[in-house]
Amino acid sequence: MSTTPPPAGLPRPAEVVQADIHALLRQTGGWLWGPTRARYEQLRDEWIAAMREGMTTAA
């Protein structure tokens, strides 16, 4: 799982972010609280942004 955010202006592909989300869920056994919950929410927001970027690029 990636631990560093991408450089500004260079969003990571949605597939990479999704892999990080899956890794986080595996590491925690699906239990998200405290810092792991915050990391999940950060990854979720990054994934949503990447999906939106992909949709606007495809359009």
Side-chain angles (χ1 to χ4, degrees), residues 3 13-14 17 19 25-26 31 34 38-39 48 51 57:
T3 57
V17 180
L25 291 172
R26 277 192 305 276
W31 293 94
R39 179 65 179 145
I48 291 168
M51 292 299 292
T57 302

Side-chain angles (χ1 to χ4, degrees), residues 18-32:
Q18 186 176 18
D20 282 356
I21 292 170
H22 286 230
L24 179 64
L25 291 172
R26 277 192 305 276
Q27 289 173 352
T28 63
W31 293 94
L32 300 172

